Amino acid sequence: MNILIDLGHPAHVHLYKNFYFEAKERGHNIFVTVKEIPSAIRLLDAYGIKYIVIGKKGKTKIGKFIKQIWFDLRTIWIVIRYRIDIGLGSSITTTHVSLVTAMKSIIFDDDDDDVQPLFVKFAHPFATELLSPDALRGNRGRVDTIFYPAYHEIAYLHPSRFNPDPGILDRAGIKKGDPYFILRFNQFLAHHDYNVDGLTLQQKEKLINVLLPHGRVFVTTESESDHVFDKYRIKIDSTEIHSFIYYAKLFLGDSQTMSSEASVLGTPSIRCNSLVGRISSLNEQEKKYGLCFGFKPEDLENMLSKIIELLANQNLREEWEVKRDNMLKDKFDLSGFMLWFVENYPASKEYRNDRTIFKQKEITE
């Protein structure tokens, strides 16, 4: 089978990497397209994944629209040339191309409809199949959406897929047992990030000052205005970030994806942005499993109080391991499901009505 994976975000590299390698091992021809995103390309190079760059993203709404036309045309050419059977991804491009070629598009989307109205309008109606986490039931307009028990982050951080490397501590200059904190600050430039607010520079400084007496602080940021935090910047390979999150005392910031990654890894996480309360997967992690906490920027003082409360908990790691185990009991290995779904398509779409047709052992053995 000829399969195309289209990547539009660095997190997509992690999401589909296990599918990529396992599908190749099983004899499928895999082609990867990616926007010109330096962080995504660095990850692809690090993992040894071959790719085709299809262009830069636009920065304005009009720019994004014009670029989307180019992405569609470039990908149509690739699909025709390599006779692609199935397009896998989380992008608008894949859905558009499936409309005018023989390729079927299988889209994995974990964002709520009201959070990403443009993607809902320009991608959902055209996807051959749309798949989303169970947590989004009731918040998805497309009635034939196929729901599954997992988060996107489980595709690469499930215990069967990921083992933390304790050597990261030495490489980061940290002694075993010494507490440290990871802070992630977003730039909010994606199509679904319009009118989304994160932490201000002053709030970031206040957060760091609260944490410093309790351990080392490491910062990863997209914002150019955050150069004042250069002395705290994480200096590790990008492929090691998940091991670094695993051993951290707390993860904090305004990132959705990395907050969820921390939850799946069993590291307490606190996020602060104006989307708090609107992301179903994170709401489930917070309300059902108690793995994370969300605060809006205007609620900073309550967030700082929660941080102090967590730091005072002497059994924090042990409690979060139990919470993580409880969450994982309700979820499955998403990468294995992806491979099964694609290999058995179109019969696999009956999973919508009968979940017993997917048997994990058939993929993992």
Side-chain angles (χ1 to χ4, degrees):
M1 189 183 300
N2 296 327
I3 302 169
L4 174 71
I5 303 174
D6 184 53
L7 308 174
H9 189 280
H12 295 164
V13 180
H14 297 303
L15 175 59
Y16 296 111
K17 69 176 181 180
N18 290 317
F19 174 92
Y20 172 87
F21 288 113
E22 292 182 10
K24 287 197 69 170
E25 287 180 4
R26 294 165 78 95
H28 301 292
N29 299 312
I30 312 298
F31 302 87
V32 175
T33 51
V34 63
K35 314 298 189 294
E36 194 171 319
I37 308 167
S39 54
I41 290 173
R42 283 195 297 270
L43 284 171
L44 289 168
D45 288 337
Y47 290 128
I49 297 174
K50 294 181 179 180
Y51 55 88
I52 302 168
V53 177
I54 61 173
K56 290 184 178 180
K57 285 186 173 184
K59 293 184 178 180
T60 65
K61 283 187 177 181
I62 294 175
K64 290 177 185 293
F65 176 78
I66 294 172
K67 286 289 187 178
Q68 187 57 56
I69 295 173
W70 168 251
F71 297 151
D72 289 354
L73 293 173
R74 182 85 168 90
T75 307
I76 287 170
W77 181 84
I78 292 168
V79 167
I80 293 173
R81 179 182 179 184
Y82 297 109
R83 299 181 179 181
I84 302 297
D85 300 300
I86 288 179
L88 185 68
S90 304
S91 73
I92 290 177
T93 304
T94 308
T95 67
H96 290 180
V97 173
S98 68
L99 277 177
V100 296
T101 66
M103 181 188 78
K104 304 298 182 183
S105 56
I106 297 176
I107 303 300
F108 284 81
D109 180 17
D110 66 345
D111 283 324
D112 294 72
D113 284 6
D114 66 339
V115 171
Q116 48 159 15
L118 291 177
F119 193 78
V120 171
K121 183 176 182 179
F122 295 110
H124 283 194
F126 312 119
T128 310
E129 305 296 341
L130 177 64
L131 295 91
S132 296
D134 271 341
L136 273 76
R137 284 186 183 274
N139 294 313
R140 187 60 94 219
R142 181 163 162 169
V143 295
D144 66 344
T145 301
I146 298 171
F147 294 99
Y148 53 81
Y151 309 122
H152 277 191
E153 294 74 24
I154 288 178
Y156 50 97
L157 296 177
H158 188 278
S160 66
R161 302 286 177 179
F162 174 77
N163 290 308
D165 177 10
I168 187 60
L169 299 178
D170 285 337
R171 291 190 289 278
I174 300 169
K175 293 181 180 178
K176 186 177 180 180
D178 286 354
Y180 66 92
F181 311 98
I182 298 176
L183 280 63
R184 167 65 174 179
F185 303 133
N186 271 357
Q187 204 167 4
F188 296 108
L189 294 178
H191 64 84
H192 52 260
D193 287 336
Y194 288 109
N195 298 318
V196 175
D197 296 319
L199 292 161
T200 66
L201 182 61
Q202 291 73 26
Q203 288 176 322
K204 294 171 185 177
E205 291 175 334
K206 190 168 187 178
L207 175 59
I208 289 174
N209 289 333
V210 167
L211 293 170
L212 281 174
H214 303 278
R216 290 183 64 181
V217 170
F218 294 90
V219 172
T220 170
T221 180
E222 296 177 341
S223 177
E224 295 179 1
S225 64
D226 287 343
H227 61 85
V228 294
F229 305 131
D230 282 350
K231 63 181 178 181
Y232 302 117
R233 283 187 184 269
I234 297 174
K235 298 177 181 179
I236 60 171
D237 190 277
S238 57
T239 61
E240 299 181 308
I241 188 62
H242 299 121
S243 289
F244 203 45
I245 293 173
Y246 178 85
Y247 291 107
K249 181 83 171 180
L250 296 175
F251 172 86
L252 311 100
D254 47 25
S255 165
Q256 317 289 354
T257 299
M258 292 185 75
S259 292
S260 186
E261 287 174 340
S263 292
V264 172
L265 290 168
T267 298
S269 70
I270 295 179
R271 73 192 182 285
C272 184
N273 62 44
S274 57
L275 285 174
V276 165
R278 297 175 59 195
I279 309 294
S280 293
S281 291
L282 286 166
N283 288 346
E284 182 179 87
Q285 292 170 20
E286 180 175 359
K287 305 301 183 184
K288 184 175 182 179
Y289 300 110
L291 285 161
C292 61
F293 305 93
F295 299 88
K296 293 189 175 181
E298 61 268 25
D299 203 17
L300 181 70
E301 293 306 317
N302 284 334
M303 185 183 84
L304 297 178
S305 295
K306 175 57 69 174
I307 292 171
I308 298 302
E309 176 189 323
L310 292 174
L311 292 176
N313 186 343
Q314 299 299 313
N315 301 311
L316 192 63
R317 172 59 69 175
E318 292 77 10
E319 289 181 12
W320 254 252
E321 286 179 356
V322 172
K323 293 179 179 184
R324 180 199 188 208
D325 289 343
N326 289 337
M327 177 271 293
L328 289 173
K329 288 175 184 176
D330 295 337
K331 309 300 179 184
F332 65 20
D333 168 23
L334 181 56
S335 288
F337 175 74
M338 286 180 180
L339 185 58
W340 170 84
F341 192 89
V342 170
E343 285 193 326
N344 292 279
Y345 189 79
S348 57
K349 65 182 179 180
E350 288 306 312
Y351 179 83
R352 180 189 297 111
N353 303 312
D354 181 10
R355 289 194 167 188
T356 65
I357 66 173
F358 169 60
K359 296 177 175 59
Q360 188 77 52
K361 288 185 179 180
E362 293 179 359
I363 293 294
T364 56
E365 287 182 350

